[in-house]
Amino acid sequence: MKKIGIFYGSSTGSTSDLAQKIAKELNAEANVFDIANCSASDLLAYDVLLLGSSTWGMGDLQSDWETLLPELGKQNLSGKSVGLFGCGDSACYSDTFCNALALIKEGLEGSGCTFIGSYAPKNYNYDESASEQDGELIGLCIDESNESDMTDERIDTWIKAMQPAL
């Protein structure tokens, strides 16, 4: 069985709550960590990395990622599968919805990891997102402020999209 680590950055608790929901859906087969208390080397112990961030301002990463992401991007992540998840506000920030996921992906592009968990953005209400690439969301995008009734279904869709790598 592959070792799954869920690592998140959260300022208000929404992404932390989402990380816990994901762990529950994976039937406790994953360990959950707040990246504020981690170094890049902590992530190397896992085969599958599920990385989460809320999106702030006009599409920025949650602040705890600003130090860890450059450090993590320098690591050799060959053989590791990386799934992305995060929270955003599709109503107030409809043109930068969940952009933080794209920033994490960009920061890890030269690390040798394989990204998993992309899926078609069905029943989403946003104008634009850097996290939609080639017609698919690159990871789990959640809007707890405006579309919390869709959260469980979206988690299920994302986990199914990652299933072959889990």
Side-chain angles (χ1 to χ4, degrees):
M1 178 175 287
K2 294 183 180 178
K3 285 181 68 177
I4 301 171
I6 301 173
F7 296 86
Y8 68 88
S10 185
S11 296
T12 65
S14 294
T15 308
S16 172
D17 292 346
L18 179 57
Q20 297 300 327
K21 286 181 183 182
I22 291 166
K24 184 178 178 184
E25 286 299 312
L26 291 172
N27 296 318
E29 295 175 13
N31 295 307
V32 181
F33 304 94
D34 183 338
I35 61 159
N37 305 315
C38 296
S39 68
S41 61
D42 294 330
L43 284 76
L44 300 178
Y46 295 88
D47 305 307
V48 178
L49 303 172
L50 304 182
L51 308 178
S53 176
S54 48
T55 298
W56 287 93
M58 295 306 295
D60 300 322
L61 276 172
Q62 191 273 343
S63 60
D64 294 325
W65 279 106
E66 292 173 7
T67 302
L68 184 68
L69 185 58
E71 184 184 334
L72 185 60
K74 293 176 187 172
Q75 304 297 313
N76 179 359
L77 301 180
S78 297
K80 299 200 183 295
S81 298
V82 174
L84 305 170
F85 68 94
C87 297
D89 185 328
S90 63
C92 293
Y93 298 97
S94 185
D95 58 343
T96 59
F97 178 62
C98 286
N99 277 8
L101 279 66
L103 295 172
I104 294 173
K105 182 179 181 187
E106 182 181 305
L108 298 181
E109 293 230 328
S111 67
C113 68
T114 301
F115 292 98
I116 59 173
S118 62
Y119 62 96
K122 295 180 181 173
N123 299 320
Y124 277 87
N125 296 306
Y126 60 85
D127 292 325
E128 192 174 330
S129 176
S131 294
E132 183 178 332
Q133 299 175 5
D134 300 320
E136 293 192 322
L137 291 171
I138 60 173
L140 175 62
C141 294
I142 297 294
D143 181 347
E144 283 294 292
S145 299
N146 304 293
E147 300 175 339
S148 61
D149 59 319
M150 302 294 291
T151 297
D152 291 342
E153 179 182 330
R154 290 174 177 169
I155 291 171
D156 290 343
T157 298
W158 181 61
I159 289 175
K160 286 176 187 165
M162 293 190 300
Q163 203 58 51
L166 300 177

